[in-house]
Amino acid sequence: MYGGVGCLGTPVVRTDAASIWATGRTWWQVPPIAKVTFTGALPQGVTGKDVIVALAGLFNRDEVLNLAVEFTGSEKTMRSLPVDARLTIANMTTEWGALTGLFPIDSTLEIWLRARATVAAMYQFTDLCSASTAERFSHQRLDELFANPMSADRGAKYAKYLHLNLSTLSPYVSGPNSVKMATPLEELSAQKVKIDKAYLVSCTNSRASDLAAAAKVFKDAKERGDKSSVANGVKFYIAAASLPEQRAAEDAGDWQAMLDAGAIALPSGCGPCIGLGTGLLEDGEVGISASNRNFKGRMGSQKAKAYLASPEVVAASALYGQISGPGWYERPKGWSGVSMGTGEIVEQGSQITTAAEALEKVIAQLDSTIESTEKEVPPEQAEPAEDTLIDVLPGFPEKFEGEILFLDADNISTDGIYPGKYTYQDDVSVEKMGRVCMENYDPSFDSIARAGDIVVSGFNFGCGSSREQAATSILARKIPLIVTGSVGNTFGRNAINNALPLLEVPRLVQRLRETFSSTDVEGSQQKAKEPYGSREPLGSLEPAAQVTPKQGKRLTRRTGWTLTWEVKSSKVTIREGQEGPIWSLKVATLPGNVQEIIARGGLENWVKKEIEKT
């Protein structure tokens, strides 16, 4: 969310935090950067939530997986995105697959910060504002910030270029049970999807402006003389993002307007969004929420359906008892669809104006071509040679070997791996953590998995929240190694911090799907390639085509195949059953510093050893 105010934000979980407190240091792998250029202007009735829901649904092939996203656009375009909209977009770049999202330090942000600095100065000696807030939000500090605002270097190159014309967007809804499925509200409204529960909760979209937008839906209905209360059979839960936001909504009359309409107030803070407290989805229920994640089972039952939408769409859905909008959006004349794509674009009025800039662009394109050509060299033809060995540190296994347990799905989230309802229970034993591992993904996993199995799964494994129990529960189930097509960066970090080794081997996922999947695997998967050497971070490669198993398909499969990873030679050998073929391939070398953390039992033990040295 911090990216909405021009600050880099990245997850720090308990092990990371403990190491920072103990040593004053941490580690962070600088990610590749994607440039997302907005054009046009956000139409009336379209919100920041619609922007990020559309981005996640329209660019849903891991285009920004593990990248940092820089959002850019002309001054006119960016003015159409108020800071509250930017906060929502930045908040949900994680759900899109990115590591972080960053908006520019511009005039829109300055106006927003100046207003808060003024409020902080006015109320610094009251209980409405702490002294530290007044110090942080001072006009003097803002003068310093905007005198020399940070921005991208001239001629900066990016790993990816995407673009989206905001003028062509309409309200969107995400789901059910996936942020990578986005449907225009108009289409979903026509389906008359009945709902049981609606949620205006969480940090993502429960600020005062969001509460005001939702309240307006009921106020407008009342002014028209229409029914202005929550539909029969529907429960509408509201919780402000913070107490100050709730006070602002109360002062404006918006909070009471929703209570009068039949909304159920919950305490400010985390609740149904992460599967805690009152109002969770039950078996067979359908819910719509303005929160950030709708993974299966996250907000309650695995047998429920969860959609995501803007606060006004959530409120309208609560009012009408089915997924609906408030009717504020009007489609522009001549509209022919959402304008989006990949590749760099230059808006009218920002054309290359000098020979130096033109030459710089040509050189950058040549560099990119050369780099792409180099990447096409297959690992078996590249250096180091196959017999090159790496050092294996004491305490780190020289070999991993086990039967492949295949989880045939992409985008298995941390909610799927370790359900949120256990995350904040302090009395969960290691044994229970192992038993409930993968419970939301496949309830039968516990009865199928065996100690020592090597889990192989699809692409973007471990997406979603930063809970590190997703890694520790796998270890509790005595799974020694996770192999994926690609892995979410935050999960990868948590795995290393907790001594769970990872490998990315997309060719193995491809081969398993060729053998066991009933879903067709697209031809482009033939180009799947492995991370090579230690130059490429986890999840940095262009993903192969993704597939999702058909309904009724076996989610967890004992394959009878075995995998052997010889760490010293960076070689993986696959035996396809007792009588099947045997084949090998080179994989990324495991750096010594990663080996050291894992060999010591994780970052916590590594920190303890470092402290003992001093």
Side-chain angles (χ1 to χ4, degrees), residues 9 73 120 136 138 142 212 223 244 283 300 345 490 520 534 543:
R136 290 198 312 273
S138 69
L142 295 180
E223 287 181 7
D283 288 1
I345 64 168
T490 301
D520 291 336
S534 57

Coordinates of all heavy atoms in Angstrom, one line a residue, residues 9 73 120 136 138 142 212 223 244 283 300 345 490 520 534 543:
G9 N 7.3 -0.4 -0.5 CA 6.8 -1.3 0.6 C 7.0 -2.8 0.2 O 6.7 -3.2 -0.9
G73 N 2.4 7.7 -16.1 CA 1.4 8.3 -17.0 C 1.6 9.8 -17.0 O 2.3 10.4 -16.2
A120 N -2.4 17.8 10.8 CA -1.5 17.4 11.9 C -1.1 18.6 12.7 O -1.0 18.6 13.9 CB -0.3 16.7 11.3
R136 N 6.1 14.0 11.6 CA 6.3 13.3 10.4 C 5.7 14.1 9.2 O 6.2 14.2 8.1 CB 5.8 11.9 10.4 CG 6.5 10.9 11.3 CD 6.2 9.5 10.9 NE 4.7 9.3 10.8 CZ 4.0 8.9 11.9 NH1 4.5 8.9 13.1 NH2 2.7 8.7 11.7
S138 N 5.0 17.3 8.5 CA 5.2 18.7 8.6 C 5.5 19.3 7.3 O 6.0 18.6 6.4 CB 6.4 19.0 9.5 OG 7.7 18.6 8.9
L142 N 7.9 18.2 3.9 CA 7.4 18.1 2.6 C 8.1 19.0 1.6 O 8.3 18.7 0.5 CB 5.9 18.4 2.6 CG 5.0 17.4 3.4 CD1 3.6 17.8 3.3 CD2 5.2 16.0 2.8
A212 N -17.8 6.5 2.3 CA -18.7 7.5 1.8 C -19.3 7.0 0.5 O -20.5 7.2 0.2 CB -17.9 8.8 1.5
E223 N -33.2 8.9 -1.5 CA -33.7 10.1 -2.2 C -34.6 9.8 -3.4 O -35.5 10.6 -3.6 CB -32.4 10.9 -2.7 CG -31.7 11.6 -1.5 CD -30.5 12.4 -2.0 OE1 -30.4 12.5 -3.3 OE2 -29.7 12.8 -1.2
P244 N -9.4 6.3 13.2 CA -9.6 7.7 12.6 C -10.4 7.7 11.3 O -11.2 8.7 11.1 CB -8.1 8.1 12.3 CG -7.3 7.4 13.2 CD -8.0 6.0 13.4
D283 N -20.7 -22.9 4.1 CA -20.9 -23.8 3.0 C -22.0 -23.3 2.0 O -23.1 -23.0 2.5 CB -21.2 -25.2 3.4 CG -20.1 -25.9 4.1 OD1 -19.0 -25.3 4.2 OD2 -20.2 -27.1 4.5
G300 N -13.7 -18.1 4.9 CA -14.6 -19.0 5.5 C -14.5 -20.4 4.8 O -13.4 -20.9 4.6
I345 N 5.0 2.5 -24.9 CA 4.3 3.4 -25.7 C 4.7 4.8 -25.3 O 5.2 5.1 -24.2 CB 2.8 3.3 -25.5 CG1 2.4 3.6 -24.1 CG2 2.3 1.9 -25.9 CD1 0.9 3.7 -23.9
T490 N 7.8 -13.7 -2.2 CA 7.7 -13.7 -0.7 C 7.7 -15.0 -0.1 O 8.3 -15.3 0.9 CB 6.4 -12.9 -0.3 OG1 6.5 -11.6 -0.9 CG2 6.3 -12.8 1.2
D520 N -5.4 -29.9 -21.8 CA -4.4 -29.8 -22.8 C -3.3 -28.8 -22.4 O -3.6 -27.7 -21.8 CB -5.0 -29.3 -24.1 CG -5.9 -30.4 -24.8 OD1 -5.6 -31.6 -24.5 OD2 -6.8 -30.0 -25.6
S534 N 23.3 -18.8 -11.0 CA 22.7 -18.2 -9.9 C 22.4 -16.7 -10.3 O 22.2 -15.9 -9.4 CB 23.6 -18.2 -8.7 OG 24.8 -17.6 -9.0
P543 N 7.3 -17.0 -17.7 CA 6.6 -18.3 -17.4 C 6.2 -19.0 -18.6 O 5.8 -18.4 -19.7 CB 5.4 -17.9 -16.6 CG 5.1 -16.5 -17.0 CD 6.5 -15.9 -17.4

